[in-house]
Amino acid sequence: HGPISSIVTQLRERHTTDEARRSVFSQLRKGRSHQNLKTRTAAVAMPESLKSLDGPSFERMERSESALLDEIMMDIKSLSSDGENLRRPSISTVFFIVLSSVLLSVVSPSTFSESVTEVLIPVAASIIAVATTAAEFQGKDATADAKEVAAVALAQAARSEAYLSRAEKSKAIIPALVGVSAMAATLNLIFPAIMASGVIVNPLLIAACPIIGGISASVSSIACIETLAQGYLALGKVSGDRMVSVKEANTRQSRFKALRQRAWGLSKAVLPSILIGLFLPGDHVFKCIVASAWSAVSVAYNLAEAETVVAEVTLKVAFISKAAAKADVFANKAASESAVLPFTSAIAGVSTALAAALVEVSPVVASFVPLFGAVASGVGAAAASRSEMDATSTRLAFRDSGVSKIAPITRVPTLFGNVLPPLFQSMVKTGADTTAQSLQNLVNLAEKNGQSTQTNTRSNPSGTSPAPAVL
């Protein structure tokens, strides 16, 4: 509402696809000045309505339950933190150092004396070797970072799968409880019919049916709460207002919170049946029938809610697993790109040793040896740059997993609020159209009968009544 809706309107198209979110990073990789970086960042991810959001208001937006707003906030943070790291000048300083070393080595035999040349050529080759090993360090460091991020992503995906399995295990008993509660409600209808036929039925059997239904409703409520708690753990939700799982309640405060949540669930499941038995007007059998029916409805509702939670978590865990797989792919690509770096460092080292040996024999020939090291340095720098880009893609893929920006789990009341109004509107529109069509058909039929009566009157002037029309 208000500024929030304007932010969503301006950023929805730009922040709902991977291509749009990464367009800024692709521009940053090409090399932009700091001012251009700030301008493009502001143009893409910081509209006018967002520039004034800082301090508490920014934090309030961060705590929003909207998945889109959480995604926007994470994108802005990523632009501000990773933008400066991704920015690279079009021509790096290392390139000028290597080029200067090669030129110095080539022109030294014809420019300087023999004693100075014997020093300059090995020094130039050594500088190129140092630049090549620096590129190797850069690429290997990016590769290690990518592998670490991919390992964390895969661990998160595996952890989410484990918690999802626990949620499904907690939900598994609820369908059986649906059958038990339905059987209890059915028996409460059968026993009065048997009694009406003259068969004596123990009243304790009739009273046991709502008790069985209440126990089923209590167990299903606890299972539903545990399913919801495991679902939140699968999504990485650790907020203080979430459901607490029994298996993670290892402190006094968490155990008290878990006990309070389950006591509230039990009260919602059992208390209506007790109130029906105490205050509902009617005889004992009627009260038992209504209480058993209420317990069956409660168990069915818990099953619907647990199924909704498991379905939502399954979908979102699939997104997490997909992002983890993408992160692993980019990490392996970074490793493959950096595989050539030890070879380039070895070539640069051999060039340094060869230049130091040949300078004693032929300085002119030795002056061209650093060229091989320069080529190796260029190949290594390109491989290191590609490894860094793949490492950045790995971080982006893991960030896109949505572990912390996935919307809250959809509950059954939320589904009712989203589904029933459009469904009711569609039913009303269909009913109105059908009624209007029926009225139009009746009007047409009446007009047709009127025209038929007038025709018969003209054709029968003697006044004999025509045969009645059959409708």
Side-chain angles (χ1 to χ4, degrees), residues 198-250:
V199 180
I200 299 175
V201 178
N202 193 337
L204 294 179
L205 293 177
I206 300 177
C209 292
I211 296 176
I212 294 174
I215 294 174
S216 301
S218 304
V219 178
S220 66
S221 177
I222 295 176
C224 182
I225 292 174
E226 184 66 22
T227 301
L228 185 60
Q230 297 293 340
Y232 276 119
L233 290 176
L235 300 183
K237 297 289 183 179
V238 292
S239 57
D241 56 345
R242 64 179 177 85
M243 293 292 179
V244 179
S245 174
V246 176
K247 296 183 179 180
E248 65 166 338
N250 50 9

